Amino acid sequence: MKSKKNISLFILFLAIGYSNSVSSQNQLDYKVMMGYQGWFLAPGDGSTTNNPWSHWFRGGTAATPDAANLTVDMWPDMSEYTDKFNTNMTYANGSNAQLFSSYSLSTTRKHFEWMSNYNVHGIYLQRFLSAVELQTSGIFRAKNKVLNNVMTSAAEYNRKYVVMYDVSGVTDATMYAKIVADWEYLVNTYDILNKPEYVKQNGKPVVAIWGIGFKNRGLTTATSQAIIDYFKTNAAPQYRAYVMGGVPENWRTLSGSSETGAGWTAVYNSLDMISPWSVGRYSNNNGADSFKTNNIVPDLAACNNNNKDYMPVIWPGFSWKNLKSNSTPPSIETLNAIPRNGGQFYWRQAYNAVRAGVKFIYVAMFDEVDEGTAMFKITNITAKLPIQANDRLVFLDIDGVNLPSDWYLKLADQTQKMLNGTIPLTSVMPILTLPDGNYLDDCDVKTNWNPSSLVLNNINQIQGLNSLEYTGSATPEYSKVFPTPYNTVGSGTGATLQFWYFVSDVSMIQTNNYVEIGSSGVPDSNEYQWTLTGLVNGWNFIQLKTAYASITGVAPNLSAINWFRIYGVKTGSITTRIDAIQLLGNSTTDNFNEENSLTIYPNPADSEVYINFSIPEPSDVGFSIINYMGQLVLQNSDKKKLDSGSHTIKVLVESLSKGVYLARININNRVFVKKVIIK
């Protein structure tokens, strides 16, 4: 007879084994997946097609890579690509404006590296069924090469992928035969279903079919049902799959872009997962809210009642002016037709989906610059665009919000964390709408902060690893004397103090609530002071201009700020948080550009990292690394005075455990922050 101890261990083993089995067989649960076109080609990339500049420029074999022939509305940030291909355009510095090709393995590797760094679970790899795409040998070979690239890169970066068939442009008479033939070709030739990177759901490999039920495409219920039945039951066992369907937004009510025949309801309900297409169905936050109420919530309820999975589509914005500029009749589309609003539009959709209770999210799209829905790294300012096309491309700062090129990958990371519960559900973007770096204080550590009761909150922060949190009713909330004064590089008429401030209950804060900065290291001496007004419950983005501040004593020395304080009278105990404190000057003499001058490699790293940077003038330079608990784990003993030019600092990290850290580089008392992953 087994002992009770052995029986308990056996039960525990079964429980663990069952849990792992469920996890491995349901790999889409609480995951963010993105659509991946992978359709960009360039002359000299090794592909041989009718259009050597496929999806970049119009003109087929004779395509001229200039501004007049552009078919994309966004320009990728090309700074990290290995294989680049010359166009007939130039940048402001006279260098050639180059583009990537999806045919190059290095391109796909870079994309999957980003997916790994920004917590994107995987992709739906688009595979078009139209005659041009799959029956033309050059395009067919190119599609297969991209698939190979995806397989290699997914294995290298531990990401997932699914084959998605887009039936746009294919006739009903040929659709079934084309899907079956190509699927069996992929299974037999590439053995994709036995690859650990190929997604499984409910224990079955996933196949996606996009375009089922869209009206005016000549598709029938009989053919669509036959395709679904093939994958679910009629194919030989080695070809069977769990079927996700990309369907019209009003599939449930048979309206909008959906076919209206009653037979389509049975087709939709025979899918394993329903994913309604929402791109272009609304254009602002109010529209997104209405779509949530009228579509997502009742769609999810209907799917739950029918034991179907439900994956809504969210997207950052839309623009396809260049793609449609030669259409007949002429397109009336405008550039930046559906603005991104600095990420607010995307985040509202992500928040709405998670709030509705979904556990699957499809983001359209990772690399779709043709229609302006791309989430990968995009050129952020007009000065970095090809000069011949800077008036016909959407750059990330076009809506007046200063953003880094990887902003939407950062938002994707936060979407994944909100979906799986790592961070709380929040309607406010949980990252600052400014690039990382250049902080008066990033609030990731408590060093030199008072009162001693402050805690680090690593669940509800705006950027970095933590926010500082205060709970109580005392007048002082946050104060700090900076051992090394901060150089604002600005003047008192134009500098701005900005930070994020969380309040649990604004009704308990009275009107005499103040913020101060100064250069004397003590309160009420040589300081700027502002009154905090207009606060709401939750996170508030505070912007305070020195030109409108009260001054105590003489005006502070903005090149030597060493004092910060928030205090105010309260009527009861509340919780406040502060994060991402920045003091921005109005001077243009700041010659250090973090994005172009500072890199850390390799990243992820295992034993050592190199910090490479260029400085235009002799500077004091130091660095430190902190962990996710806000603890200092590595630091150089002294700042070093370095001459102008390029420098590389080697940092040994072999003593650090696996995980995510922040490297903080201090250049002339300005702190720049980079994420480092130790593998």
Side-chain angles (χ1 to χ4, degrees):
M1 179 180 291
K2 296 180 180 179
S3 69
K4 290 184 178 180
K5 179 179 180 181
N6 287 339
I7 291 173
S8 298
L9 289 174
F10 179 69
I11 293 173
L12 177 62
F13 172 79
L14 287 178
I16 294 174
Y18 175 75
S19 176
N20 289 340
S21 174
V22 170
S23 175
S24 66
Q25 300 304 306
N26 290 278
Q27 296 169 346
L28 293 177
D29 285 13
Y30 299 102
K31 295 297 190 299
V32 171
M33 295 281 287
M34 291 192 184
Y36 190 80
Q37 302 287 22
W39 57 15
F40 301 98
L41 302 178
D45 61 5
S47 63
T48 54
T49 68
N50 289 333
N51 184 0
W53 280 110
S54 181
H55 287 276
W56 290 123
F57 302 96
R58 64 175 50 82
T61 305
T64 300
D66 58 18
N69 290 305
L70 273 172
T71 56
V72 300
D73 272 26
M74 306 188 90
W75 194 265
D77 176 356
M78 292 296 299
S79 61
E80 297 182 46
Y81 290 92
T82 301
D83 296 328
K84 306 178 186 182
F85 302 89
N86 290 342
T87 70
N88 289 4
M89 294 181 286
T90 56
Y91 295 119
N93 63 5
S95 64
N96 191 272
Q98 299 174 313
L99 290 167
F100 67 77
S101 169
S102 305
Y103 198 85
S104 299
L105 175 58
S106 66
T107 294
T108 317
R109 273 189 168 136
K110 179 56 64 176
H111 290 168
F112 274 75
E113 176 188 339
W114 292 342
M115 293 176 207
S116 176
N117 290 345
Y118 295 93
N119 208 18
V120 177
H121 186 60
I123 60 155
Y124 286 92
L125 176 61
Q126 312 295 297
R127 199 162 171 91
F128 287 79
L129 281 182
S130 61
V132 172
E133 297 288 57
L134 286 183
Q135 293 182 1
T136 302
S137 60
I139 291 292
F140 186 70
R141 287 194 299 270
K143 291 295 180 186
N144 293 340
K145 176 62 163 58
V146 173
L147 172 62
N148 257 321
N149 293 347
V150 166
M151 293 168 64
T152 299
S153 302
E156 183 174 350
Y157 288 99
N158 193 28
R159 300 297 96 187
K160 301 294 184 181
Y161 64 95
V162 173
V163 169
M164 172 179 272
Y165 287 108
D166 190 318
V167 302
S168 302
V170 70
T171 66
D172 186 80
T174 61
M175 186 166 68
Y176 179 92
K178 285 185 176 182
I179 285 185
V180 170
D182 191 68
W183 177 251
E184 294 185 359
Y185 167 80
L186 295 183
V187 172
N188 296 337
T189 305
Y190 296 98
D191 195 31
I192 56 174
L193 302 190
N194 289 319
K195 306 295 183 184
E197 297 77 32
Y198 198 91
V199 171
K200 289 184 173 62
Q201 189 68 14
N202 294 349
K204 301 175 183 178
V206 178
V207 66
I209 307 168
W210 192 94
I212 294 175
F214 283 81
K215 68 181 180 183
N216 301 326
R217 298 194 178 190
L219 304 181
T220 65
T221 56
T223 299
S224 297
Q225 191 65 64
I227 292 170
I228 297 169
D229 291 344
Y230 162 81
F231 283 110
K232 295 183 68 172
T233 58
N234 293 344
Q238 67 268 31
Y239 303 121
R240 293 179 189 172
Y242 168 106
V243 185
M244 182 269 241
V247 302
E249 79 286 1
N250 288 329
W251 64 277
R252 180 175 42 82
T253 58
L254 301 180
S255 59
S257 61
S258 174
E259 291 281 9
T260 58
W264 285 102
T265 296
V267 173
Y268 296 143
N269 288 333
S270 68
L271 293 162
D272 294 304
M273 173 181 279
I274 292 174
S275 182
W277 189 246
S278 62
V279 176
R281 276 36 178 191
Y282 40 86
S283 59
N284 51 40
N285 284 3
N286 289 338
D289 292 346
S290 178
F291 191 84
K292 175 210 166 196
T293 300
N294 298 321
N295 291 74
I296 294 178
V297 171
D299 281 0
L300 179 60
C303 286
N304 288 340
N305 289 337
N306 291 327
N307 198 28
K308 304 295 177 185
D309 291 327
Y310 177 71
M311 176 181 274
V313 175
I314 64 176
W315 43 289
F318 188 86
S319 181
W320 64 356
K321 181 176 177 60
N322 291 314
L323 185 65
K324 297 295 184 179
S325 64
N326 283 5
S327 61
T328 303
S331 172
I332 60 172
E333 298 293 341
T334 58
L335 198 67
N336 199 31
I338 301 179
R340 297 182 172 213
N341 290 331
Q344 300 288 354
F345 180 60
Y346 168 88
W347 190 256
R348 179 61 68 91
Q349 296 171 77
Y351 167 74
N352 283 347
V354 177
R355 187 182 183 193
V358 306
K359 65 177 183 177
F360 311 96
I361 288 180
Y362 181 108
V363 177
M365 310 274 288
F366 184 87
D367 59 342
E368 173 63 283
V369 288
D370 311 62
E371 298 182 358
T373 60
M375 294 286 292
F376 68 174
K377 297 187 182 184
I378 292 294
T379 297
N380 58 337
I381 61 176
T382 185
K384 295 181 182 179
L385 293 173
I387 58 175
Q388 296 83 359
N390 62 11
D391 61 343
R392 42 193 313 163
L393 289 166
V394 177
F395 50 96
L396 291 191
D397 290 4
I398 197 170
D399 299 318
V401 183
N402 183 22
L403 300 173
S405 65
D406 65 346
W407 183 246
Y408 289 90
L409 289 173
K410 290 180 177 181
L411 287 181
D413 170 63
Q414 296 299 303
T415 304
Q416 176 61 70
K417 290 175 179 175
M418 188 167 63
L419 179 63
N420 65 24
T422 304
I423 64 172
L425 176 69
T426 173
S427 61
V428 178
M429 286 191 299
I431 47 179
L432 186 64
T433 54
L434 287 171
D436 281 344
N438 191 18
Y439 295 115
L440 175 63
D441 198 283
D442 57 16
C443 302
D444 281 327
V445 295
K446 288 175 54 179
T447 306
N448 297 317
W449 278 98
N450 288 302
S452 60
S453 59
L454 294 179
V455 299
L456 294 174
N457 188 316
N458 63 3
I459 300 298
N460 190 219
Q461 76 272 40
I462 294 296
Q463 62 79 45
L465 302 179
N466 304 292
S467 62
L468 287 170
E469 181 175 292
Y470 164 87
T471 300
S473 58
T475 299
E477 286 182 45
Y478 305 93
S479 66
K480 180 173 182 176
V481 177
F482 296 88
T484 303
Y486 181 84
N487 183 3
T488 310
V489 192
S491 70
T493 59
T496 301
L497 174 69
Q498 59 187 36
F499 56 93
W500 285 83
Y501 184 55
F502 175 94
V503 182
S504 64
D505 188 348
V506 295
S507 68
M508 293 188 180
I509 295 182
Q510 297 192 0
T511 55
N512 48 345
N513 192 40
Y514 300 106
V515 179
E516 301 169 345
I517 59 171
S519 57
S520 295
V522 294
D524 304 324
S525 174
N526 301 344
E527 72 176 19
Y528 290 115
Q529 184 186 84
W530 299 266
T531 301
L532 278 180
T533 59
L535 298 174
V536 298
N537 289 340
W539 282 105
N540 299 264
F541 184 45
I542 309 298
Q543 288 185 300
L544 305 167
K545 294 186 179 296
T546 53
Y548 304 122
S550 299
I551 298 176
T552 302
V554 300
N557 181 357
L558 279 171
S559 65
I561 295 298
N562 61 3
W563 165 254
F564 177 93
R565 182 168 73 164
I566 295 180
Y567 72 102
V569 178
K570 308 170 186 68
T571 59
S573 179
I574 64 171
T575 294
T576 65
R577 302 184 187 104
I578 188 171
D579 202 359
I581 308 171
Q582 295 185 297
L583 186 52
L584 306 178
N586 63 339
S587 172
T588 59
T589 61
D590 178 20
N591 293 321
F592 182 81
N593 184 304
E594 176 200 8
E595 183 175 354
N596 293 333
S597 304
L598 178 62
T599 58
I600 294 183
Y601 62 91
N603 196 9
D606 49 16
S607 60
E608 58 194 29
V609 296
Y610 294 87
I611 304 171
N612 182 264
F613 55 93
S614 296
I615 48 179
E617 57 192 7
S619 305
D620 293 322
V621 178
F623 76 90
S624 60
I625 296 180
I626 61 177
N627 64 17
Y628 245 90
M629 299 298 293
Q631 299 165 326
L632 184 68
V633 294
L634 281 176
Q635 184 178 29
N636 63 334
S637 56
D638 296 295
K639 290 183 181 178
K640 294 182 179 180
K641 188 76 170 184
L642 300 178
D643 293 332
S644 61
S646 180
H647 299 273
T648 300
I649 298 176
K650 179 180 178 179
V651 183
L652 297 178
V653 295
E654 55 190 357
S655 63
L656 300 181
S657 302
K658 294 181 179 179
V660 179
Y661 298 81
L662 288 186
R664 301 196 299 179
I665 299 90
N666 189 316
I667 300 177
N668 277 349
N669 298 327
R670 302 187 69 188
V671 177
F672 300 89
V673 182
K674 292 285 186 179
K675 183 166 68 174
V676 178
I677 300 172
I678 307 300
K679 61 182 179 180

